[in-house]
């Protein structure tokens, strides 16, 4: 066992568990992770990504094919889609929770070591990992109230007896930050009498008690097992809520950050190419803390981007998006932003607290509702509720502006992705954005869950038929998206850590400049964020006269760097030397 690694693990454990034997725990965790004795520490500040990295986000059962019978599982459809439609487009696939579950579309996990038999098995996961990197969820804050561990808890048996966070209804929990509106504590009948269990997200999702080192060791075991199944990217779901402490907000506590640092240390010694991404739907400043000093999360979800970008395109004003981009610190080597504008969840509103006024937020909400969207709420101190997220498919979110519907939905939708693909960070695209899926109101009505509006399940042969029909908007969106991505992957200036500066071109043109790490390529990314044509003076970009400049998207050359060009509604140019 490496003495250096042992000392580093001990140092983290002494912070998390000051009263425990840190040397004993450190040896236990290193053995559980299965780290060889001769392992060397990976070089710090190393980028494990480049401009060719594009992630696909999807559920394991988004693509169904009942015609092939019950033995043909959805993960095989996903594998076929990636191989035959996205083989030169995406580099990684985030398969949302594929374990047996009881609710929340997978995020109430019953068994972390099994693949939901309705989706497939571990062979299917390993097959997908042969062609692309696989990202899996580590649902680290809670598990299903119907899990074996929680059944053991109720019966006073191990493992599970001491896995869950108990509290008294008499405790003052008024400071606790809540993402939902239900009662925080759930009364449970156990063999030792009635107990109250902490439930951050729902009463079917019972929170773990990481004050017990056995819980930490169990999750190290889970991470080790996933690595052995070919998974190299981990999404730490709702990790901000991991550590609870009386009299605090119970979010982003120091012990939570220390646990993430410890897990990264162990994971990267087992596999130096592994990546940890934290999912923390919280205000921007708090989110940035999960980078640590390039010793915590490799990447963090850029949660402010979706609401700010959508707000920009429906208002025709990039003021807030530009202000945010100017304030975004460059990610140091070894860390990266994880950029997305659509996912299985809604458009989070917490990340724009302090950026959008209450009136601006209300206008955004009302606009999205007019396009068929829904609103989910969270509880505040004093019994009040506040909008937590907007639930809508991104394609329908781009149906119009604050003035109503128009005929520019597809242009606005592509513009949103062109901006996202250019911004510093690793781009991740939801499967429904690849094919322009619309609101699934039927699923919302059947499930009574707002988030189901953007969790449509496609009949795979039907989708393939759409993608083969040039008149279908699904095919048009797919073709434009994939062509744009292939172009983007060839540009070194779009490396996730390439230099970025925000341009000042007024409120109707949103622009930024990227420069490759070797300083050989520059790209000026300018988007018309309005529904009217806009003039762009190339002189405002200060292009070097001796270089040859071209729009990469249209292949238009610019021979006079003082010309003015006209941008159509929602057109983007990538002007590069």
């Amino acid at each position: 066992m490496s003495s250096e690694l042992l000392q580093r693990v001990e140092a983290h454990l002494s912070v998390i568990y000051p009263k425990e034997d840190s040397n004993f725990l450190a040896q236990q965790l290193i053995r559980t992770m299965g780290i060889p004795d001769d392992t060397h520490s990976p070089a710090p500040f190393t980028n494990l990504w480049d401009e060719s990295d594009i992630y696909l986000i999807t559920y394991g059962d988004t693509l169904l094919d009942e015609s092939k019978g019950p033995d043909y599982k959805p993960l095989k459809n996903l594998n076929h889609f990636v191989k035959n439609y996205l083989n030169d487009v995406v580099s990684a696939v985030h398969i949302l929770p594929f374990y047996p579950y009881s609710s929340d579309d997978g995020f109430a996990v019953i068994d972390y070591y099994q693949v939901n038999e309705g989706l497939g098995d571990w062979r299917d996961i390993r097959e997908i990992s042969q062609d692309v990197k696989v990202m899996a969820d580590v649902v680290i804050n809670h598990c299903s109230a119907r899990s074996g561990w929680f059944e053991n808890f109720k019966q006073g048996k191990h493992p599970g007896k001491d896995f869950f966070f108990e509290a008294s209804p008499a405790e003052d929990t008024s400071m606790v930050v809540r993402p939902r509106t239900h009662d925080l504590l759930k009364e449970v009948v156990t063999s030792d009498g009635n107990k109250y269990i902490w439930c951050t997200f729902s009463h079917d999702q019972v929170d773990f008690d990481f004050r017990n080192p056995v819980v930490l060791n169990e999750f190290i075991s889970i991470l080790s097992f996933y690595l052995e199944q070919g998974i190299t990217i981990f999404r730490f779901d709702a990790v901000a809520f991991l550590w609870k402490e009386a009299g605090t907000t119970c979010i982003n506590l120091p012990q939570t950050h220390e646990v993430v640092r410890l897990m990264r240390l162990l994971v990267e010694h087992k596999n130096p190419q592994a990546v940890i991404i934290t999912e923390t739907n919280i205000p921007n400043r708090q989110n940035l803390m999960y980078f640590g000093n390039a010793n915590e999360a490799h990447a963090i979800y850029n949660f402010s981007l979706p609401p700010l970008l959508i707000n920009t395109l429906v208002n025709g004003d990039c003021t807030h998006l530009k202000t945010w981009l100017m304030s975004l610190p460059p990610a140091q080597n070894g860390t990266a932003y994880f950029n997305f504008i659509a996912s299985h969840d809604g458009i989070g509103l917490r990340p724009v607290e302090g950026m959008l006024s209450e009136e601006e937020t209300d206008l955004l909400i009302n606009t999205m509702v007019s396009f068929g969207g829904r609103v989910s709420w969270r509880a505040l101190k004093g019994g009040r509720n506040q909008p937590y997220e907007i639930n809508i498919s991104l394609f329908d979110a781009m149906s119009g502006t604050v003035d109503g519907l128009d005929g520019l939905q597809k242009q606005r939708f592509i513009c949103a992705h062109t901006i996202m693909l250019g911004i510093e960070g690793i781009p991740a695209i939801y499967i429904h954005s690849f094919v322009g899926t619309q609101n699934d109101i039927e699923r919302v009505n059947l499930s009574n869950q707002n988030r189901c509006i953007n969790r449509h399940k496609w009949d795979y042969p039907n989708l393939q038929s759409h993608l083969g029909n040039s008149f279908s908007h699904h095919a048009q969106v797919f073709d434009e998206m994939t062509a744009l991505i292939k172009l983007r992957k060839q540009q070194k200036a779009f490396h996730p850590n390439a230099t970025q500066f925000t341009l000042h071109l007024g409120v109707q043109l949103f622009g930024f400049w990227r420069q490759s790490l070797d300083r050989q390529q520059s790209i000026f990314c300018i988007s018309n964020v309005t529904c009217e044509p806009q003039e762009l003076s190339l002189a405002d970009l200060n292009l070097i006269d001796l270089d040859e400049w071209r729009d990469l998207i249209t292949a238009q050359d610019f021979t006079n760097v003082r010309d003015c060009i006209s941008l159509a509604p929602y057109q983007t140019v990538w002007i590069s030397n």
Side-chain angles (χ1 to χ4, degrees):
M1 186 176 293
S2 164
S3 59
E4 179 195 357
L5 175 60
L6 182 64
Q7 291 173 4
R8 292 176 66 186
V9 174
E10 279 189 64
H12 290 298
L13 289 168
S14 64
V15 175
I16 304 168
Y17 305 113
K19 296 181 180 179
E20 301 285 345
D21 183 342
S22 58
N23 180 268
F24 170 79
L25 289 178
Q27 293 187 56
Q28 181 185 47
L29 294 181
I30 292 170
R31 284 195 301 270
T32 298
M33 182 56 83
I35 299 172
D37 291 342
D38 58 351
T39 297
H40 297 287
S41 297
F45 306 105
T46 299
N47 294 324
L48 302 175
W49 42 78
D50 61 25
E51 61 276 7
S52 68
D53 278 295
I54 305 285
Y55 284 49
L56 168 69
I57 305 170
T58 182
Y59 277 103
D61 59 353
T62 296
L63 305 175
L64 304 174
D65 188 353
E66 295 181 359
S67 68
K68 293 187 176 178
D71 294 333
Y72 195 85
K73 302 299 184 180
L75 283 174
K76 296 188 186 302
N77 295 325
L78 175 60
N79 194 10
H80 182 274
F81 184 67
V82 171
K83 280 185 175 180
N84 290 274
Y85 289 89
L86 298 174
N87 67 320
D88 53 354
V89 177
V90 302
S91 60
V93 178
H94 173 201
I95 308 174
L96 288 153
F98 48 77
Y99 325 107
Y101 71 96
S102 57
S103 64
D104 198 16
D105 278 357
F107 287 93
V109 179
I110 291 175
D111 188 339
Y112 289 79
Y113 293 94
Q114 298 295 325
V115 174
N116 183 345
E117 62 180 15
L119 300 179
D121 54 33
W122 283 114
R123 285 173 299 178
D124 295 310
I125 300 293
R126 290 193 294 269
E127 283 182 19
I128 294 172
S129 73
Q130 298 302 307
D131 297 297
V132 291
K133 292 175 282 189
V134 172
M135 173 170 162
D137 284 277
V138 181
V139 186
I140 198 168
N141 178 71
H142 51 264
C143 71
S144 169
R146 285 178 254 180
S147 66
W149 288 337
F150 197 63
E151 287 299 322
N152 283 350
F153 169 81
K154 291 188 288 186
Q155 297 174 34
K157 298 178 181 178
H158 293 291
K161 177 182 178 180
D162 47 6
F163 272 25
F164 300 96
F165 197 92
E166 301 176 39
S168 166
E171 288 182 27
D172 180 10
T173 58
S174 60
M175 291 181 63
V176 175
V177 172
R178 302 295 314 285
R180 300 289 186 270
T181 57
H182 67 272
D183 291 338
L184 178 62
L185 301 181
K186 169 186 178 178
E187 186 175 7
V188 179
V189 178
T190 77
S191 60
D192 295 328
N194 288 9
K195 296 184 178 182
Y196 290 86
I197 301 301
W198 198 282
C199 299
T200 298
F201 288 90
S202 80
H203 283 182
D204 188 46
Q205 293 163 294
V206 285
D207 283 30
F208 290 111
D209 187 354
F210 272 86
R211 295 175 302 180
N212 178 5
V214 178
V215 175
L216 174 62
N217 188 65
E218 189 63 55
F219 271 91
I220 297 303
S221 173
I222 290 167
L223 289 169
S224 176
F225 177 74
Y226 291 172
L227 284 167
E228 290 163 2
Q229 303 308 313
I231 295 164
T232 56
I233 309 167
F234 302 105
R235 175 187 185 266
F236 282 9
D237 174 67
V239 68
F241 300 94
L242 180 144
W243 198 273
K244 290 88 175 169
E245 197 169 284
T248 74
T249 59
C250 297
I251 188 171
N252 305 319
L253 296 187
Q255 295 92 334
T256 294
H257 287 280
E258 205 67 40
V259 167
V260 177
R261 293 185 195 111
L262 172 59
M263 287 184 164
R264 167 165 174 172
L265 178 64
L266 292 167
V267 164
E268 67 185 8
H269 275 77
K270 173 100 169 182
N271 184 340
Q273 298 302 308
V275 169
I276 288 173
I277 304 178
T278 51
E279 186 267 343
T280 48
N281 191 357
I282 51 180
N284 191 49
R285 186 182 296 269
Q286 298 172 29
N287 194 25
L288 291 170
M289 293 170 62
Y290 282 86
F291 275 146
N293 183 25
N295 63 347
E296 202 162 327
H298 292 89
I300 61 172
Y301 272 72
N302 221 344
F303 274 107
S304 297
L305 179 58
L308 287 175
L309 182 49
I310 293 167
N311 183 72
T312 293
L313 292 170
V314 299
N315 280 284
D317 184 329
C318 69
T319 300
H320 293 302
L321 183 63
K322 183 167 65 173
T323 301
W324 166 76
L325 195 68
M326 289 170 59
S327 69
L328 201 64
Q332 60 181 320
N333 286 331
T335 65
Y337 293 105
F338 193 73
N339 293 333
F340 72 106
I341 48 177
S343 74
H344 62 293
D345 287 341
I347 303 162
L349 296 174
R350 288 218 68 204
V352 290
E353 290 176 6
M355 296 189 220
L356 298 184
S357 68
E358 187 174 338
E359 292 76 17
E360 289 169 325
T361 302
D362 287 343
L363 178 59
L364 176 61
I365 291 172
N366 291 336
T367 303
M368 294 298 102
V369 169
S370 74
F371 298 155
R374 302 288 195 270
V375 182
S376 296
W377 302 77
R378 73 183 186 97
L380 297 180
K381 184 177 180 180
R384 295 183 299 113
N385 291 336
Q386 183 183 60
Y388 178 71
E389 67 180 16
I390 303 167
N391 306 108
I392 191 170
S393 83
L394 183 62
F395 190 71
D396 280 347
M398 298 287 93
S399 296
T401 69
V402 293
D403 296 321
L405 300 171
D406 59 23
L408 296 168
Q409 182 177 20
K410 183 161 67 76
Q411 292 92 322
R412 196 177 290 110
F413 179 81
I414 296 297
C415 178
H417 284 93
T418 311
I419 291 173
M420 189 265 282
L421 287 167
I423 286 177
E424 175 190 346
I426 303 168
I429 298 173
Y430 193 31
I431 190 169
H432 292 301
S433 294
F434 265 113
V435 297
T437 306
Q438 296 160 295
N439 292 334
D440 193 334
I441 303 299
E442 183 180 357
R443 285 204 75 207
V444 174
N445 294 336
L446 288 173
S447 65
N448 201 31
Q449 297 292 326
N450 286 346
R451 284 180 167 178
C452 286
I453 199 170
N454 197 25
R455 298 178 179 179
H456 179 70
K457 296 186 188 300
W458 274 99
D459 174 69
Y460 189 34
N462 184 33
L463 176 61
Q464 289 176 294
S465 177
H466 277 292
L467 295 181
N469 178 4
S470 61
F471 294 102
S472 167
H473 87 265
H474 301 293
Q476 293 167 7
V477 166
F478 182 80
D479 290 345
E480 288 193 47
M481 289 281 289
T482 52
L484 196 61
I485 290 168
K486 291 175 184 178
L487 178 64
R488 188 250 189 220
K489 292 174 65 172
Q490 299 171 17
Q491 316 308 321
K492 289 188 175 182
F494 285 146
H495 186 287
N497 295 89
T499 300
Q500 176 173 281
F501 285 108
T502 308
L503 303 176
H504 297 278
L505 304 169
V507 302
Q508 297 161 324
L509 295 176
F510 175 65
F512 51 93
W513 172 74
R514 304 294 307 278
Q515 185 184 58
S516 59
L517 297 175
D518 62 9
R519 300 187 180 183
Q520 296 301 303
Q521 184 187 30
S522 289
I523 302 179
F524 291 85
C525 308
I526 300 103
S527 299
N528 176 1
V529 297
T530 77
C531 56
E532 301 289 341
Q534 301 294 329
E535 294 297 311
L536 168 66
S537 171
L538 296 181
D540 291 340
L541 304 181
N542 294 318
L543 302 179
I544 299 173
D545 208 354
L546 297 178
D547 285 354
E548 296 179 1
W549 297 94
R550 165 179 287 196
D551 174 22
L552 297 172
I553 298 174
T554 64
Q556 177 184 358
D557 291 317
F558 302 110
T559 55
N560 187 343
V561 296
R562 293 168 183 79
D563 278 350
C564 282
I565 61 173
S566 179
L567 297 186
Y570 305 108
Q571 181 185 352
T572 296
V573 289
W574 286 344
I575 301 175
S576 178
N577 57 339

